[in-house]
Amino acid sequence: TSRGPASDGASSFKPDLAAPGVSIVSTAVGTGTGAANFSGTSMSAPHVAGAAALLHQEHQNLRPGAIKALLQNSTVNGNPSSDTSLARLGVGVIRVDKAAALSSYASPGGVSFGRINPRSPVTQSEDVTLTNMSRKERTFSVTHVAHTTYPGVSVSCPRSVSVEGHHDR
């Protein structure tokens, strides 16, 4: 999707994640065998769709939201020396190899509290669900990594969470 914030009224961030989309060699319309360089969401969307299809093939019982969480949980910083704006890259750049290697995921893959008015004290919460796809119980260390910090705004979460193992029925 294009740069954010989203227009859903909640001011959630967009895009959810980023994918290769600049100078992608594709088929040039009407040439028969020619190629052309294109850029934009029309080039990055097929990367995301293909990554989701590969993950669905690997995890056939997972719903689309879980596939999205796997993709978001495994992103990397696409440009560590420059603009890594949430409105430009979402939670990061897609890495399907890292997503396929995960044995757990947190959903949602990114949390936004929307627009916050610093003059009006408010407490907000967001539930994040951890899913353990391995058979054994696991304990996860929990950290919060703020994309942007503001004076007077704090985020708290437990230091660790234990999650039962997945059992086939």
Side-chain angles (χ1 to χ4, degrees), residues 46-58 64 67-68 71 94 96:
H47 282 90
V48 177
L54 288 170
L55 289 176
H56 178 67
Q57 183 177 358
E58 180 73 18
I67 298 292
K68 177 181 175 181
L71 289 170
I94 194 169
V96 70

Side-chain angles (χ1 to χ4, degrees), residues 113-122 124 153:
F113 292 104
R115 298 182 196 278
I116 297 174
N117 182 347
R119 297 174 196 253
S120 299
V122 65
Q124 293 182 300
V153 175

Side-chain angles (χ1 to χ4, degrees), residues 1-7 12-17 40-42 44 86-90:
T1 185
S2 299
R3 291 179 74 153
S7 59
S12 60
F13 64 89
K14 285 292 179 184
D16 298 313
L17 49 77
T41 54
S42 295
S44 60
L86 185 64
R88 186 171 180 81
L89 296 177

Side-chain angles (χ1 to χ4, degrees), residues 59-83:
H59 303 288
Q60 294 179 12
N61 294 328
L62 291 183
R63 300 177 73 71
I67 298 292
K68 177 181 175 181
L70 285 170
L71 289 170
Q72 287 184 291
N73 288 185
S74 57
T75 59
V76 298
N77 187 344
N79 193 3
S81 63
S82 188
D83 183 6

Side-chain angles (χ1 to χ4, degrees), residues 105-160:
Y105 61 91
S107 182
V111 175
S112 173
F113 292 104
R115 298 182 196 278
I116 297 174
N117 182 347
R119 297 174 196 253
S120 299
V122 65
T123 300
Q124 293 182 300
S125 64
E126 180 75 30
D127 290 330
V128 176
T129 302
L130 277 174
T131 300
N132 177 9
M133 297 186 298
S134 70
R135 297 191 184 279
K136 295 182 181 179
E137 179 177 320
R138 297 168 69 189
T139 299
F140 297 90
S141 296
V142 179
T143 58
H144 164 258
V145 179
H147 186 272
T148 306
T149 59
Y150 295 98
V153 175
S154 63
V155 175
S156 62
C157 54
R159 291 180 183 227
S160 65

